[in-house]
Each structure stands twice: as structure tokens, then as C-alpha cells.
Amino acid sequence: MKRTSSLVTLIVAAGLAAASCAKPVPDREAAIADVLANNADVTIMITDSGLGGLSVAADVAARLSGSGVFRKARIVFYNALFHKIGYNGLDSEAEKARIFDVVLRDMEKRYRPDILLIACNTLSVVYNDTKFSRRPAFPVVGIVETGVDLIAEQFTKTPEASVLIFATKTTIESEAHKKALVARGLPAGRIFGQACHKLAGAIERGTASEETVGYIRQFVGEALAKAGGPGRPLFGSFNCTHYGYVRQQFAEAFAAAGVADIVLLDPNPRMADFLFRAPYLGRHAATDVAVEVVSKLEITPQERDSIGPLLRAVSPAAADALQNYTHDPNLFEVEFKRPAGK
């Protein structure tokens, strides 16, 4: 039922550097290493502008329970969605950053987290433009760099291939992944971004619905056209956290377009790898894990029924938290100008 109401080891530093896309702040890696080394009980905040990041929360919950890294871990999934138009429906990057800044400060006030995972590519891009990012009250880890690492690794395995990056409009327009890959020496001419506007919302309404499948077929077709057709070596990358929920539907759309057995990368399961490194594993006999979900907007029964079974296969605790989420219309207060026609 819904309710209303000291030293940093090299291995930890390397893991953290690979896990974040947030603008570096002084001693952030040291701060996370301090949490790992010295906190028996932690609050791990995970956020997204929707429900895609719940897959990261489920993964963290499942892995932590037997890890012994902490004695107790409170995992709070905080839905940062402020209105159904979403961050991608706003007119400017400044407006997105202003609203997300309000959300970040509310997280700090209400939960005092030890670590924040931004399990959202859109908000990971937006984060660097927030005032909060200049002096964060807790260490913040984003997901873009995890995706960049995965793409770079696949290029090493298949250097002749091109990558199709599937993401939201904000993420594609920022070219965050492409810029980072080019900076590593990878060829810009073989990196193709495909904006999948409105797909995340469709996935939440139904992962196998006609609407969702239709969008996927459309976007796969558009991406293939950009890359020169299905005859070239290709791999895909899910750079919106929602898209891992519909891996099968993407694979089927590619097969129907003439690309069978395509490699599809999903950074979600790797985002929190930095939490599970020696020498912190097994410090406690087990980790007592509690999962909560809180949202300003209603998470409809349809949305919970769409995502819930996929979460349950990974973490029953995360699935239960979604079904019993806290709906708090006053979670954070923000005013915004609704763009014309939306």
C-alpha cells in the first residue's frame, strides 16, 4: 500500500575515478574512501529523473547484502522528477540545473546521505551546472563515465566497429559520451548518438507495450541510418538507465532490421563497483540492507507493475520498496515556467 506522509588506497582511487562523471571536487575520492573505511552504517542515496535508476538501487541492494562492506546500509531511491514534462521538456540547461539544485539541497536536508549516486545520464550531465556541485555536502558519483568506460572497452575488443549511443535528448545534445571518447583518442566518425525522446516514459508505462516497441523500432532504424546501414560492424550502448529494462526489445528491433546478435552495453550494473573493492569486503558478517523509494509525483500502479517484476528478479527488497513507496507531494518545492505547448 502506498504511504503518504587516512589514506586512500590506489585501488579505491582507481575505482572511483572510473565510476564518476561529476566535476572533480577536492578530495572527493578521499571522502568516499573515508566512508568505506570508517562508516559501519551508511545512507546511500540514488536518484534519477524517473524510475530507470531503480535498477541501480536493486543491484546495490543485492550486492551489499552478502558483501559485509557495511554493518547496515540504508538505500534511498529519490525520484527527482518534478513534473511529468521532465527535465528533457524544459527550455534551457540553466533551468534544468536550477531545478536539480533544489532537489540536491532537499536530499541533503532530509537524508544527510553519505554518498549520492546519480543513476541518470541526463542528471549526471546537468549536475556540473548546479550550484551544489561547487561545494557538495557529500560525495557525488554520476553514471556517464561508467558508460564511457564500457564503450571504450568494447572499441578495444572490436576496433573496426561503430557505436550507437541511445540516450535522452539532453544527454545526446550535450555529446558528453562522444566528447569523452574522442578525448581518449577514439574516432568521432564512428560514434553516433540517437536521442530517444519519450522512450523512458513509455517504458515506465509498459516495457513490452506497442508504444514502447514502436519507439524502439523507430529509434533503432534512425540510428542505423546514421551509421550507414546494417552492413557495418556495430554495437549499441544504453545511456539512459531506463533502457536496460528493454534489452530484449532492442535486440529484437535490431534483428528485424538485419543486425543479429548485436552487443548492447548497459552501464547500470557497473555503476557501484567502487563500493565492492578490497580491503572492505567481508569486514562484517553480513550487511543489513533496507531499501526505500520516495517520490514527489505519484508512481502509478501501471508503472509499478511494469518495472516491479524486473526489479524483483534482482532484489525483492527493491521491488517491495517500489510497491510500498512514499508519495510526498511536498518532497521539494520548485517553481518553473512550463514551455509553450507542453
Side-chain angles (χ1 to χ4, degrees):
M1 179 180 294
K2 180 176 67 176
R3 301 190 305 273
T4 57
S5 4
S6 247
L7 295 174
V8 184
T9 63
L10 290 176
I11 193 167
V12 172
L16 295 172
S20 174
C21 78
K23 182 189 302 182
V25 296
D27 299 323
R28 189 206 56 173
E29 283 74 22
I32 299 181
D34 182 67
V35 171
L36 289 170
N38 299 313
N39 288 32
D41 302 341
V42 294
T43 296
I44 299 172
M45 183 75 65
I46 300 173
T47 194
D48 186 7
S49 55
L51 305 181
L54 271 168
S55 65
V56 174
D59 178 74
V60 172
R63 295 172 70 183
L64 272 179
S65 61
S67 71
V69 173
F70 305 108
R71 181 178 59 196
K72 293 183 179 180
R74 181 191 185 194
I75 299 171
V76 181
F77 179 81
Y78 186 115
N79 184 5
L81 198 59
F82 62 95
H83 187 275
K84 64 182 180 180
I85 67 167
Y87 291 83
N88 290 289
L90 295 172
D91 282 338
S92 70
E93 301 308 304
E95 184 72 344
K96 296 171 189 176
R98 182 187 67 80
I99 292 174
F100 190 37
D101 193 75
V102 172
V103 172
L104 290 163
R105 296 187 187 283
D106 186 76
M107 290 179 189
E108 176 188 4
K109 179 180 178 181
R110 290 176 183 266
Y111 294 100
R112 301 290 180 184
D114 296 289
I115 298 172
L116 168 63
L117 305 184
I118 304 179
C120 173
N121 287 268
T122 295
L123 293 183
S124 293
V125 169
V126 170
Y127 175 75
N128 288 343
D129 294 326
T130 64
K131 293 180 180 179
F132 185 91
S133 69
R134 301 170 193 169
R135 294 182 61 86
F138 39 80
V140 178
V141 177
I143 197 170
V144 168
E145 191 66 24
T146 310
V148 170
D149 287 341
L150 273 179
I151 295 169
E153 290 171 12
Q154 187 62 35
F155 267 122
T156 299
K157 298 174 184 176
T158 54
E160 75 287 354
S162 295
V163 62
L164 307 178
I165 295 174
F166 295 93
T168 66
K169 182 175 67 171
T170 295
T171 301
I172 294 300
E173 289 177 352
S174 76
E175 294 193 322
H177 296 82
K178 184 173 184 176
K179 290 174 182 176
L181 289 164
V182 171
R184 297 188 187 194
L186 294 167
R190 288 197 276 119
I191 302 168
F192 300 94
Q194 177 61 48
C196 303
H197 194 45
K198 298 184 178 181
L199 177 56
I203 290 169
E204 291 185 1
R205 289 186 289 275
T207 56
S209 69
E210 183 177 347
E211 178 190 25
T212 297
V213 171
Y215 275 136
I216 291 171
R217 289 176 178 170
Q218 172 190 336
F219 297 136
V220 164
E222 291 175 2
L224 287 173
K226 292 176 183 177
R232 299 186 174 198
L234 297 167
F235 64 96
S237 180
F238 296 148
N239 297 113
C240 168
T241 51
H242 285 75
Y243 299 170
Y245 292 139
V246 289
R247 172 185 289 274
Q248 179 180 344
Q249 289 84 338
F250 265 95
E252 290 172 353
F254 271 107
V259 183
D261 301 320
I262 188 170
V263 172
L264 296 170
L265 307 178
D266 183 3
N268 292 16
R270 280 185 47 170
M271 184 183 185
D273 279 358
F274 70 90
L275 293 173
F276 303 96
R277 295 181 179 271
Y280 308 117
L281 292 170
R283 290 183 301 168
H284 303 276
T287 301
D288 181 11
V289 177
V291 186
E292 306 167 31
V293 175
V294 61
S295 179
K296 177 180 179 68
L297 301 188
E298 179 188 7
I299 303 174
T300 67
Q302 181 183 16
E303 291 166 339
R304 284 178 274 157
D305 290 344
S306 175
I307 302 301
L310 301 174
L311 297 177
R312 191 166 298 280
V314 178
S315 168
D320 289 343
L322 174 60
Q323 289 298 327
N324 299 292
Y325 83 107
T326 297
H327 177 209
D328 184 355
N330 299 314
L331 187 62
F332 55 90
E333 298 294 335
V334 64
E335 295 182 358
F336 68 97
K337 183 179 179 180
R338 187 167 179 168
K342 296 183 180 179

